[in-house]
Amino acid sequence: DTAVSQTPKYLVTQMGNDKSIKCEQNLGHDTMYWYKQDSKKFLKIMFSYNNKELIINETVPNRFSPKSPDKAHLNLHINSLELGDSAVYFCASSLRHGSSTDTQYFGPGTRLTVL
Amino acid sequence: QKEVEQNSGPLSVPEGAIASLNCTYSDRGSQSFFWYRQYSGKSPELIMFIYSNGDKEDGRFTAQLNKASQYVSLLIRDSQPSDSATYLCAVRVYAGNNRKLIWGLGTSLAVNP
C-alpha cells in the first residue's frame, strides 16, 4: 500500500508551459506539504495545508498555486514554467502539524525538468 | 534567518564502525529534531526524532541532543554498506502560529565493505 503517492514521477516540459503535479495520501493525516529539492539537494518547504486550509505559504512565486480539494489530496499547479523551476518536488503528509513531535512522511517525488 | 548546518561530507567509514553525524541549529526556540535518510534518487525517510536533552536509542541508531549547545547528532553503530546515503537533519521551528521544518543540506555517508 502506497502511503503518499505523487503523479507524475517525471515531468519534462518547455519553458512557458503550465503543468500540474498531484499528491494523495491514504494515511488519514490532517496536514500535507509541498517541498522543493534543488540540484544542491536543499529541501525547502513551499506550502502546507491543514484540513484543506493553507497554513504555510513561503516566499514562492505566485506562478505556483496549490490546491487541496480534500485533506487527502494536495495538488500543485505551476504556470509559465521557468528554467529555475527544474527540481524534484516532494509531497509529504503528517498526522497533525501542531504537535512538536509530528512526523512527516514523503512521497516518491516528481522530477521536473524545464527545457 | 533560521538555519540548520551539517557537514556535507562525504563521511567515509569502514563496515562495522560507528558513523557520527552532526548538526547545529540557530533557533534557540527549536522544539524537536529529526533525522531522515535519503538514498540517491529516493525520498527522505524518517530514522528517528528527539526532543529532550540527552540520548535516544533505536536499534543501531542513537540520537543525541544538547539544547544548550544547539547541537544534535546521530550515531550509527555497526555501520553497513546499506547505510550509505545522505542523512538530513531537520529542526522544527515556529512559523507564526504554525510550525515548520528547517532542513540541513545533509551529510553524505559512505560505508566501505
Side-chain angles (χ1 to χ4, degrees), chain A:
Chain A
D1 282 350
T2 303
V4 183
S5 59
Q6 293 179 231
T7 54
K9 191 168 172 62
Y10 299 97
L11 194 48
V12 181
T13 188
Q14 300 287 332
M15 263 197 320
N17 284 350
D18 303 339
K19 289 294 179 186
S20 292
I21 307 172
K22 296 188 176 184
C23 178
E24 176 181 0
Q25 54 95 3
N26 63 6
L27 297 167
H29 287 170
D30 284 349
T31 310
M32 296 185 73
Y33 311 81
W34 277 114
Y35 282 92
K36 179 180 181 180
Q37 189 171 44
D38 61 25
S39 56
K40 295 182 179 176
K41 306 300 183 187
F42 182 55
L43 197 59
K44 190 172 191 315
I45 188 166
M46 302 172 69
F47 304 102
S48 177
Y49 273 75
N50 186 62
N51 265 321
K52 303 191 297 177
E53 179 189 349
L54 180 66
I55 56 171
I56 291 176
N57 184 352
E58 294 290 289
T59 309
V60 177
N62 58 15
R63 299 181 295 104
F64 290 79
S65 51
K67 278 193 173 55
S68 182
D70 56 60
K71 73 174 191 178
H73 295 85
L74 179 61
N75 303 323
L76 182 66
H77 187 76
I78 316 170
N79 287 325
S80 303
L81 278 155
E82 300 178 357
L83 293 176
D85 297 332
S86 295
V88 180
Y89 292 84
F90 287 106
C91 176
S93 74
S94 68
L95 183 60
R96 199 163 294 113
H97 76 100
S99 164
S100 61
T101 58
D102 189 42
T103 301
Q104 295 181 18
Y105 296 89
F106 284 76
T110 296
R111 181 174 293 277
L112 171 65
T113 303
V114 182
L115 303 175

Side-chain angles (χ1 to χ4, degrees), chain B residues 25-40:
Chain B
Y25 58 95
S26 62
D27 183 5
R28 284 196 171 276
S30 300
Q31 303 177 312
S32 44
F33 308 84
F34 299 78
W35 283 101
Y36 281 77
R37 176 175 62 196
Q38 186 174 25
Y39 292 110
S40 181

Side-chain angles (χ1 to χ4, degrees), chain B residues 18 32 41 67 79-80 85:
Chain B
I18 295 176
S32 44
K67 289 186 178 180
S79 295
Q80 302 297 309

